[in-house]
Amino acid sequence: MEMAKAGYFKNRAFWHRGMERRSLVWLTGTLLIAALWLASRPYEGAINDARLYAVEALRLLLPGHFDDDLYFRSGSQGQFTLFSRISAPFLARFGVGGAALRLTVVFQAAWVGGLAFFVFSLFRDSRERFLAIAAVIVFPCVVIQEYGEVSLTPRLPAEALVLWGLGFMMREKIVRSAMFLAAALMLHPLTALSAIALLALRLALRQPRWWW
């Protein structure tokens, strides 16, 4: 009886040490990923295309003030996205700078979360997962920054939704995947179309009769 109790407590202690070790590894990996993201994408405010979408939102908040502006006379890119309608209440509450900062933080967090969700759907080994996430984050800095932007545009939340959608696709959650990709389509059609095509191809390969 005493030996059984000793074995039980020994196994329990071993299990706790293992959990603590795994928790430490996860915490370290998460902090490293966060550091890589912050180092590779320092926040610079409402710059580049973010200014155009800020004006789109201001136009909604101030009807008639921008109607004669040359940018809006022949239509603008804002007519292809719901992004300005989503961001307008934040601009009204926090101003352009405050809204840009808050929304950028939220959308970047969603982007990294979506990336992790997608990568975890592809790899089982923890080291491979962290290396893949790190590689995706660092790659634009080596070549050219084409995704995971630092400025507030519809591309940032649309990319985040696409990553979540692809993650659900890899986990065979097709309905959820389609919902996320549909939401991405309403924010930035060009960003979402390739992922939608990939989902359609995956479904078609599973249903050979679609080819006839």
Side-chain angles (χ1 to χ4, degrees), residues 99-175:
L101 174 60
R102 287 168 172 81
L103 290 176
T104 299
V105 170
V106 171
F107 291 147
Q108 285 189 348
W111 200 100
V112 177
L115 173 62
F117 185 69
F118 179 46
V119 168
F120 278 42
S121 303
L122 296 175
F123 301 101
R124 293 185 178 275
D125 183 77
S126 297
R127 288 171 295 183
E128 292 177 350
R129 288 171 169 176
F130 283 117
L131 286 174
I133 294 172
V136 171
I137 291 175
V138 172
F139 183 75
C141 302
V142 178
V143 185
I144 182 172
Q145 186 158 319
E146 296 181 342
Y147 54 80
E149 298 177 84
V150 295
S151 57
L152 183 64
T153 72
R155 291 186 293 272
L156 183 60
E159 289 172 2
L161 289 167
V162 164
L163 287 169
W164 283 97
L166 292 177
F168 280 117
M169 182 188 73
M170 296 305 299
R171 296 170 188 240
E172 302 297 334
K173 306 291 186 181
I174 302 302
V175 174

Side-chain angles (χ1 to χ4, degrees), residues 5-156:
K5 287 183 179 180
Y8 168 79
F9 287 113
K10 182 178 180 180
N11 291 334
R12 188 175 180 83
F14 179 78
W15 181 81
H16 279 295
R17 285 196 298 271
M19 288 294 293
E20 290 175 357
R21 189 179 298 110
R22 283 192 292 271
S23 298
L24 181 60
V25 170
W26 277 94
L27 177 60
T28 303
T30 301
L31 291 176
L32 286 174
I33 293 300
L36 278 176
W37 181 271
L38 294 174
S40 61
R41 293 166 174 80
Y43 182 69
E44 298 178 0
I47 59 173
N48 302 329
D49 287 355
R51 293 176 293 180
L52 299 178
Y53 288 102
V55 173
E56 295 274 4
L58 289 173
R59 186 190 184 199
L60 295 174
L61 296 173
L62 303 170
H65 283 67
F66 298 93
D67 289 347
D68 294 329
D69 192 286
L70 183 62
Y71 176 67
F72 294 109
R73 283 186 179 178
S74 300
S76 65
Q77 57 198 35
Q79 62 188 323
F80 302 107
T81 175
L82 295 179
F83 181 76
S84 299
R85 296 185 180 278
I86 295 172
S87 61
F90 292 90
L91 264 71
R93 175 68 177 82
F94 302 108
V96 174
L101 174 60
R102 287 168 172 81
L103 290 176
T104 299
V105 170
V106 171
F107 291 147
Q108 285 189 348
W111 200 100
V112 177
L115 173 62
F117 185 69
F118 179 46
V119 168
F120 278 42
S121 303
L122 296 175
F123 301 101
R124 293 185 178 275
D125 183 77
S126 297
R127 288 171 295 183
E128 292 177 350
R129 288 171 169 176
F130 283 117
L131 286 174
I133 294 172
V136 171
I137 291 175
V138 172
F139 183 75
C141 302
V142 178
V143 185
I144 182 172
Q145 186 158 319
E146 296 181 342
Y147 54 80
E149 298 177 84
V150 295
S151 57
L152 183 64
T153 72
R155 291 186 293 272
L156 183 60

